[in-house]
Amino acid sequence: MAGIKVFGHAASVSTRRVLLTLHEKNLDFELVHVELKNSEHKKEPFLSLNPFGKVPAFEDGDVKLFESRAITQYIAHRYEGQGTNLLQPDSRNLAHYATMAIGMEVEAHHFDPVVSKLAWEHVFKLIYGLTTDQAVVAEEEAKLAKVLDVYEARLKEFKYLAGDTFTLTDLHHIPAIQYLLDTPTKKLFTERPRVNEWVAEITKRPASQKILQ
């Protein structure tokens, strides 16, 4: 059977989400580079992997997937017994699994849209020679502050967002946070004690460091 392949860009937050999951699972894989600056993701052969033209795409033998969070969930379940368990300790407890699922939904719909805009303004615009729009930064930071207030309250009760063990809920946050820790937006994380501890804990993991290399 063919090995695991990830089609994406090593600097892409979504691609990093999948790479991070693979590193946590200690799985061997091949990263097939897709050059975003040349819009390779909008052309064939990539469109045959993801018709929506976004990285990453994923292959594990005959299994072909796209959408990073679907891929991470596949990896976590398919390789549950290998490396780090990224599910709840009792993954068959529906209530516990639903708690983790809520966290993943919150990340996808409330956290990620905001931090993606902030990473674009602070990091990726500079790469493309564009100027940061401080009005957009201020607007998005206000939104992020509200999300992090919810996280702060949650983290007063539990070590991690879905409970007392590290799960996909936490992992999905890491790539975007890593970018923002090198920007002025870092203050929103550090000024909230429990959020600050959580960020330090999840970003120091060996797998988190590997995706920065």
Side-chain angles (χ1 to χ4, degrees), residues 136-189:
V136 172
V137 169
E139 180 181 354
E140 297 306 318
E141 283 190 340
K143 296 176 184 177
L144 179 58
K146 292 180 180 179
V147 176
L148 294 181
D149 284 343
V150 175
Y151 285 13
E152 181 74 6
R154 176 71 176 171
L155 292 166
K156 288 179 180 178
E157 300 181 47
F158 302 98
K159 184 176 181 180
Y160 298 101
L161 289 177
D164 289 322
T165 58
F166 178 79
T167 68
L168 286 176
T169 297
D170 308 288
L171 182 148
H172 287 176
H173 290 78
I174 294 172
I177 288 176
Q178 287 176 321
Y179 275 118
L180 294 182
L181 290 182
D182 290 326
T183 76
T185 298
K186 177 181 178 179
K187 66 182 182 294
L188 296 183
F189 299 99

Side-chain angles (χ1 to χ4, degrees), residues 42-82:
K42 302 296 184 182
K43 308 170 186 174
E44 292 293 356
F46 185 81
L47 288 176
S48 65
L49 300 171
N50 182 354
F52 296 101
K54 293 183 177 181
V55 294
F58 175 88
E59 290 184 357
D60 183 9
D62 294 333
V63 176
K64 302 179 188 299
L65 303 170
F66 56 89
E67 294 295 340
S68 65
R69 294 172 187 84
I71 296 168
T72 63
Q73 290 182 71
Y74 164 81
I75 296 168
H77 286 278
R78 170 66 178 80
Y79 299 98
E80 184 174 359
Q82 185 166 338

Side-chain angles (χ1 to χ4, degrees), residues 18-68:
V18 172
L19 300 182
L20 181 52
T21 306
L22 291 166
H23 285 309
E24 286 284 358
K25 286 296 184 181
N26 298 320
L27 292 168
D28 293 328
F29 64 90
E30 177 187 356
L31 174 61
V32 181
H33 180 73
V34 178
E35 185 50 66
L36 304 181
K37 286 185 178 180
N38 296 341
S39 298
E40 287 184 5
H41 55 308
K42 302 296 184 182
K43 308 170 186 174
E44 292 293 356
F46 185 81
L47 288 176
S48 65
L49 300 171
N50 182 354
F52 296 101
K54 293 183 177 181
V55 294
F58 175 88
E59 290 184 357
D60 183 9
D62 294 333
V63 176
K64 302 179 188 299
L65 303 170
F66 56 89
E67 294 295 340
S68 65

